[in-house]
Amino acid sequence: MANFTENEIKSMNEIPHPSLPTGSKIYGETKVFPDYKANEGDKFLALVHGIAHESSLSYVAVLQAIRAQRKGFETAIYFYGTGAMNATATRGFPTTGTAGFGGELNINEGIEKFIKEGGKVYVCRFGLGLHGIREEDLIEGTIPCHPLDLQDCLIEYHNSGAFILSTFQI
């Protein structure tokens, strides 16, 4: 038990912590926009240039792709540049596949779920090489791509009228 000073105890007791019991609502639930579903043949591409654990950018892009897929879109994720690091199966600590801290493997688990549910994941080989990641380190089911494929992928999805979510982290 810590030895608290009189002022530390006074400060801790001025306002109850936490002020609301677990399970208390602090936000409303009203959805403002309609829950759109894909029309036959609609496509969705999540383009990701973000580093795992540097921000939530990459993880949120994976979650958006999963949601779009579940709405009926033909969905793909394309990791390029630093984003390619997100698609590696060799992450973890102290062994691969073991989370060294809570949430360390959220992106891996999201990508695996996305693939299992029918999504395609493209990974730029140049992005892998920039960071010394071997192609055999990729999550099973991902599709390695030539660096020149990125632009052609964007053209293909654009020409099909796809919704393209482009995320970029510097």
Side-chain angles (χ1 to χ4, degrees):
M1 174 68 89
N3 185 15
F4 296 110
T5 67
E6 185 178 326
N7 279 345
E8 289 169 338
I9 293 170
K10 182 179 176 184
S11 179
M12 289 187 295
N13 291 326
E14 286 176 340
I15 303 292
H17 296 90
S19 61
L20 294 172
T22 300
S24 297
K25 280 189 158 191
I26 57 174
Y27 300 105
E29 296 178 11
T30 303
K31 190 171 178 326
V32 177
F33 293 96
D35 188 16
Y36 292 103
K37 304 292 182 198
N39 295 313
E40 184 68 34
D42 281 351
K43 293 183 178 185
F44 179 101
L45 173 66
L47 188 61
V48 183
H49 185 289
I51 305 170
H53 312 304
E54 295 293 321
S55 75
S56 60
L57 180 142
S58 298
Y59 184 52
V60 170
V62 171
L63 294 176
Q64 290 289 337
I66 291 170
R67 185 158 189 253
Q69 186 166 270
R70 290 177 178 172
K71 287 175 166 286
F73 287 87
E74 180 185 315
T75 309
I77 303 170
Y78 201 119
F79 291 105
Y80 72 107
T82 57
M85 291 189 287
N86 289 294
T88 57
T90 53
R91 293 179 37 229
F93 185 85
T95 60
T96 59
T98 302
F101 58 88
E104 179 184 7
L105 300 176
N106 282 352
I107 293 174
N108 293 60
E109 293 163 0
I111 291 169
E112 290 163 357
K113 179 187 301 185
F114 178 73
I115 292 170
K116 184 178 179 183
E117 293 180 11
K120 291 183 180 179
V121 177
Y122 301 103
V123 184
C124 179
R125 288 179 169 124
F126 182 69
L128 293 171
L130 283 174
H131 304 286
I133 299 169
R134 303 169 310 165
E135 198 167 307
E136 60 261 29
D137 294 334
L138 289 173
I139 292 170
E140 185 176 359
T142 60
I143 305 163
C145 293
H146 189 280
L148 298 179
D149 279 329
L150 176 60
Q151 186 177 53
D152 292 318
C153 174
L154 284 167
I155 292 168
E156 181 174 317
Y157 274 82
H158 168 77
N159 286 346
S160 74
F163 180 92
I164 299 174
L165 171 69
S166 182
T167 61
F168 192 91
Q169 176 184 349
I170 300 177

